[in-house]
Amino acid sequence: MFEINKKGADRAPESAQRQDGPGVRADASSPPRREGQREAAVIGPSIHIDGDLRGEEDLLIEGEVNGTVQLKNNSLTIGAQGKLRADVYAHSIYVEGFMEGDLYGSERVHIRKTAQVRGNVTSPRVSLEDGAKFKGSIEMDPQAVQGALGARGGKGPAPAQQAPRAPQ
């Protein structure tokens, strides 16, 4: 009855898209998807969230979030329209929009040229594209990442450090 590939149909240019599976297209700038993984959840541009946001799937934020975002085993993409005033704990973090707060990535943090970031970045792999606006510090110590994720995004609180014993 209907032809999907009919000539003259509205289609985005093939060069701007990547085929990620049967019938699923993703923008070429989006993070790579892992095998067997479904498309990321989306917080649209008209959505505003105040509070803690936790999940077990990849997330794309195009709206506003204030508080804390915890996706310890998944990736977070802050889209071009996204505005975060939050501390973020995730496996991989990709920033295209506005971000104010600290970023903790257990694998990587990628700040794209359209991004505006005010906060500290802690991750073993950090990339900052030419043209991005960034004010803060970058810590690339894997132990600092594990300490931060263990305290907030991991499986419970970070192990308590013992105070040195006083001589007797």
Side-chain angles (χ1 to χ4, degrees):
M1 190 154 95
F2 296 102
E3 290 185 42
I4 294 174
N5 293 328
K6 194 170 189 176
K7 189 174 182 177
D10 290 338
R11 293 175 15 142
E14 292 296 323
S15 62
Q17 296 181 345
R18 181 180 78 227
Q19 187 74 27
D20 278 349
V24 178
R25 293 196 182 275
D27 185 274
S29 65
S30 65
R33 293 203 347 228
R34 291 173 261 180
E35 185 64 32
Q37 183 178 28
R38 61 182 228 187
E39 193 171 330
V42 178
I43 295 175
S46 67
I47 305 296
H48 300 269
I49 297 174
D50 292 320
D52 292 337
L53 182 59
R54 292 184 302 264
E56 294 296 326
E57 59 187 293
D58 293 348
L59 180 62
L60 167 61
I61 298 176
E62 290 289 356
E64 287 190 37
V65 175
N66 299 309
T68 304
V69 177
Q70 295 184 48
L71 302 170
K72 63 183 178 179
N73 296 318
N74 299 90
S75 70
L76 170 69
T77 301
I78 302 166
Q81 297 179 55
K83 293 180 182 174
L84 263 72
R85 287 180 178 84
D87 288 339
V88 174
Y89 302 85
H91 183 263
S92 300
I93 304 168
Y94 303 86
V95 184
E96 297 173 3
F98 177 81
M99 169 67 204
E100 186 175 308
D102 294 338
L103 298 167
Y104 299 92
S106 59
E107 176 64 28
R108 74 168 49 225
V109 173
H110 185 90
I111 301 172
R112 297 207 168 104
K113 64 183 176 182
T114 57
Q116 297 179 44
V117 176
R118 283 189 236 146
N120 302 317
V121 176
T122 304
S123 181
R125 295 170 58 193
V126 176
S127 59
L128 184 63
E129 288 184 2
D130 187 25
K133 294 181 172 85
F134 176 77
K135 181 173 183 171
S137 66
I138 297 175
E139 172 102 29
M140 296 177 72
D141 179 12
Q143 292 171 341
V145 174
Q146 291 306 322
L149 289 174
R152 293 292 305 220
K155 300 176 179 111
Q161 294 186 2
Q162 295 179 346
R165 291 186 179 187
Q168 295 180 2

